[in-house]
Amino acid sequence: MKKQWLFLLVLFFVASSMVFAGGAKEPAPATGSDLIVVGYAQVGAESDWRTANTESFKSTFVEANGYKLIFDDAQQKQENQIKAIRNFIQQDVDYIVVAPVVETGWETVLQEAKNAGIPVILSDRQMKLSDESLYVAWVGGNFLKEGDDSVTWLNTYLKSVGRDNEDMNIVLLQGTIGSSAQVGRTQGIVEGLAKNPHYKLLARQTGEFTQAKGQEVMESFLKAYPDIDVVFAENDNMAFGAIDAIKAVGKVPGKDIIIISFDAVREAFNKMIAGELNAAIECNPLHGPRVAEIIQTLEKGGTVAKIQYVVEEVFDQANAAARFPTRMY
Ligand code: AHR
């Protein structure tokens, strides 16, 4: 009798293990262990450009493409980005991507990443580092050239409307002070303006790359200087704020005051088509696929170019309507 029970018990275990083995033939559920883990220390959400940049990363670094993205929004604060990078190191991610708020102050935390053997890729803004080996590659826009292009556009435009011999009172809305986007654009603009004796730079002040602050600073410029001819806004959103401030004092943006901005987001095209913005110097935010390409090359043991500029164009009221339908951001 005992032997019969034992036989039945063995039979039960064999049968149930066969059922289990049959189940195991199904594809194993994804554990995530073979995904490449990428930590992205993003600046914040201060502008349309930034939103497009975040979206580019979120749509590229997805499981279907073999990635797990850990995203951190630093709310425009360097200390938050440093904390985020330390968290990424603790989580032992495969790659760290940083869009640095400002250029300086990164050596210590990047050395920590290097000691942990985690490659760092810079996106968008650059860092000023004493040791260039602290990052593998950078991808972004040429901010100095953008600044330079903006003044070249103004020179050409004034000539085309027969105003190149008029004196021009100019104000400059700057981005976040110390960010490479601000440093490069300001340098390009200031050096470009200095070449023309008709140009007078009345004032420059940061609008922190936000629409609200851009509007606030423009309001104070308009109070201090009632005869402004040209505004350079170091991004589109500050230009949108400036447009509102100009309208509020009864002037016509794009006519009474020439406005030149940077980024060339879709709303900038709407404003150029409406005649309120004169020109937008492109800064391309779609870095997700470019960073993914760098990672794929590194994964295969390849080498990548250290500095990778993206191609950027200049748009104005003459070409805005034709180019608008194909704009990706
Ligand atoms: O670093 C790129 C700049 O940052 C963009 O011009 C601006 O819109 C953003 O906030």
Side-chain angles (χ1 to χ4, degrees), residues 46-47 49-50 124-125 143 181 185 209 234-235 263 283:
E46 73 283 4
S47 63
W49 187 101
R50 191 63 57 195
D124 169 27
R125 302 176 186 175
F143 302 121
R185 287 173 189 163
F209 282 130
E234 286 180 1
N235 82 346
D263 289 353
C283 179

Side-chain angles (χ1 to χ4, degrees), residues 239-300:
F240 305 156
I243 287 170
D244 290 342
I246 292 166
K247 283 180 180 169
V249 295
K251 294 198 174 184
V252 183
K255 287 197 174 65
D256 297 336
I257 299 182
I258 297 165
I259 306 169
I260 304 160
S261 72
F262 297 82
D263 289 353
V265 297
R266 286 177 73 82
E267 185 52 21
F269 278 75
N270 286 329
K271 297 254 189 283
M272 284 190 282
I273 293 165
E276 295 181 337
L277 176 68
N278 298 81
I281 317 304
E282 188 181 32
C283 179
N284 191 320
L286 307 180
H287 299 162
R290 293 165 202 275
V291 171
E293 217 178 288
I294 291 172
I295 290 176
Q296 285 307 319
T297 306
L298 295 174
E299 285 291 299
K300 288 178 199 133

Side-chain angles (χ1 to χ4, degrees), residues 88-114:
F88 296 154
I89 296 170
Q90 260 182 2
Q91 292 174 76
D92 196 24
V93 301
D94 297 307
Y95 293 89
I96 292 173
V97 183
V98 190
V101 176
V102 288
E103 289 185 323
T104 55
W106 299 101
E107 267 88 358
T108 307
V109 73
L110 289 203
Q111 188 61 53
E112 290 167 24
K114 190 175 178 184

